[in-house]
Amino acid sequence: MTGPPAEVLVVGVGNVDRGDDGIGPIVARRVAGLRLPGVRVVQRAEPLDLVDDCATTDVLVVVDAVRSGRPAGALVVQEVDQRPLPAWTGAGGTHAFGLAAAVELARAMGRMPRRLVLVGVEAESFRTGAALSAPVRDAIESAVRAVTSAADARLAGDG
C-alpha cells in the first residue's frame, strides 16, 4: 500500500542584504513562483531554524551559500546521509550557527527528515549592503533547476 507522495519543504537560508548570503532566499522565491505541486517553500535567516523544519517534514531541500574553496558560483548538491556535513556548509556567511551544526543538532535530537538535500552555491562576498556577486547571480537558474530536480525525484519516490 502506498500513500500520497511526501511533501517537499524547500528552505532558502540567508540574508539578501549581505551579498552572496542572499542566494538561498532568492532561489527560494524563484522556486515558490513555479508553484510546484507538493512543494512548500520558506525562507529562513538562520540555519538554526532548520531544526524545527527537519522535525516537520519528510523531505527537506536546503539552499544556502557555501564556502568550500570552489570558484564562486559553483553548485554543490549533496544528499545528507549518516555522515556529518562538511564544516564549510554555511561557513563564512553571516550565520552565527552554521548549516552543518544545525543538521547535527537535528540529528542529535532525533529530528532528521527521511531525506535532506543541500543545494549550495559557492559564495564570493558577504559584504553588508552588497548585491549578489556576478558569478553567484549567474548561478541562480542552475540552483533553481537543482532544487526542482531534487524535489521532483523526492515526490516521485526516486530518492
Side-chain angles (χ1 to χ4, degrees), residues 95-152:
H95 314 307
F97 196 86
L99 179 60
V103 168
E104 291 314 307
L105 179 59
R107 191 186 319 269
M109 295 174 71
R111 291 183 167 194
M112 285 293 285
R114 182 177 56 83
R115 298 248 178 230
L116 193 157
V117 178
L118 166 65
V119 176
V121 179
E122 188 73 24
E124 183 174 85
S125 170
F126 296 100
R127 226 175 45 246
T128 302
L132 293 179
S133 66
V136 171
R137 188 176 53 252
D138 291 345
I140 291 172
E141 292 310 314
S142 294
V144 169
R145 283 191 301 275
V147 170
T148 58
S149 177
D152 287 346

Side-chain angles (χ1 to χ4, degrees), residues 36 50 56 62-63 67 91 102 109 115 119 130 144-145:
L36 301 170
L50 292 173
T56 61
V62 178
V63 187
R67 277 251 169 111
M109 295 174 71
R115 298 248 178 230
V119 176
V144 169
R145 283 191 301 275

Side-chain angles (χ1 to χ4, degrees), residues 26-51:
I26 290 168
V27 170
R29 282 195 293 258
R30 294 274 178 100
V31 172
L34 298 173
R35 300 185 188 277
L36 301 170
V39 176
R40 187 167 55 99
V41 181
V42 298
Q43 297 174 43
R44 304 283 186 234
E46 290 294 328
L48 186 56
D49 296 332
L50 292 173
V51 175

